[in-house]
Amino acid sequence: AGDVIDFECLPGFSTDGSKEGSTVFQASCTESGYFKPSGVCVEASKCGPVPNITHALPTGKTVSGAVEFACSTGYSLDGENVVEGGLGKNRFFTLKCVEFSGSYEAFEGECKPYAFVASGETQRLYNELGRALFIVSCKGSLKTAFANGEIPSSIDNVCNGFEDSSAACKSLVSKIKSDFSSE
């Protein structure tokens, strides 16, 4: 771990796909015992540097004259889990250099996160749900803690921030409101 190896691209390749781009990158040995490269060599094209695609990087491969990209770990083209060892149909995409215009074709897709919610967002949603639904005091019942017997008006809006699990959240809110009303 900690070892670093310098790599130099072959003539006609650069780390960004431009004719004038850098031709050197490093690979560092990780704690897991494998080398992690800081870049790849991409065949230089008349279109210049490959475009920066959010949550994606070039793989260094060319497929039918187009530069291949891969969504970063934790991202896929359809927001679904990438099957390791599979064909990567929801991870890989290509962009072709349109030599007539001197630019790469536009990327129409998006690398979307899957099974990931930022910890700050998770904590915010958890706190909001807790504040709206589970205010319990030692001295009284759930009904007393909820504004002296009234269901808080904010309870109907608590699921607005839950994109993927809003149905589950709304079901939970309905059950709590039902239980609350029957007390």
Side-chain angles (χ1 to χ4, degrees):
D3 291 340
V4 176
I5 299 174
D6 292 326
F7 284 90
E8 185 170 355
C9 299
L10 295 172
F13 290 79
S14 69
T15 58
D16 68 358
S18 70
K19 293 181 179 182
E20 312 80 35
S22 174
T23 58
V24 177
F25 67 93
Q26 295 180 328
S28 302
C29 184
T30 66
E31 292 294 323
S32 302
Y34 64 89
F35 281 93
K36 182 175 182 180
S38 64
V40 296
C41 295
V42 178
E43 188 172 7
S45 80
K46 293 179 181 178
C47 290
V50 294
N52 288 323
I53 307 293
T54 305
H55 306 299
L57 293 169
T59 64
K61 293 181 182 177
T62 304
V63 179
S64 301
V67 177
E68 181 183 68
F69 285 79
C71 292
S72 302
T73 303
Y75 293 84
S76 68
L77 294 169
D78 57 7
E80 298 295 324
N81 194 16
V82 174
V83 178
E84 293 300 324
L87 298 177
K89 289 183 179 182
N90 65 340
R91 181 173 184 224
F92 298 106
F93 60 94
T94 58
L95 295 179
K96 190 168 258 181
C97 171
V98 181
E99 292 185 21
F100 178 75
S101 66
S103 60
Y104 285 91
E105 62 188 358
F107 176 51
E108 302 295 332
E110 175 186 4
C111 289
K112 302 173 188 176
Y114 61 88
F116 172 80
V117 177
S119 62
E121 179 67 4
T122 301
Q123 187 172 4
R124 183 192 70 76
L125 293 173
Y126 178 82
N127 288 341
E128 187 175 328
L129 184 63
R131 194 171 24 257
L133 300 177
F134 301 106
I135 299 171
V136 179
S137 71
C138 296
K139 295 182 179 179
S141 69
L142 186 62
K143 202 178 250 188
T144 302
F146 277 126
N148 296 320
E150 297 294 321
I151 296 175
S153 60
S154 64
I155 199 167
D156 292 320
N157 299 325
V158 75
C159 296
N160 291 349
F162 291 84
E163 292 174 11
D164 291 339
S165 56
S166 65
C169 179
K170 288 176 183 173
S171 173
L172 176 62
V173 169
S174 293
K175 178 161 177 24
I176 289 172
K177 285 171 72 174
S178 173
D179 291 347
F180 181 81
S181 296
S182 68
E183 284 296 317

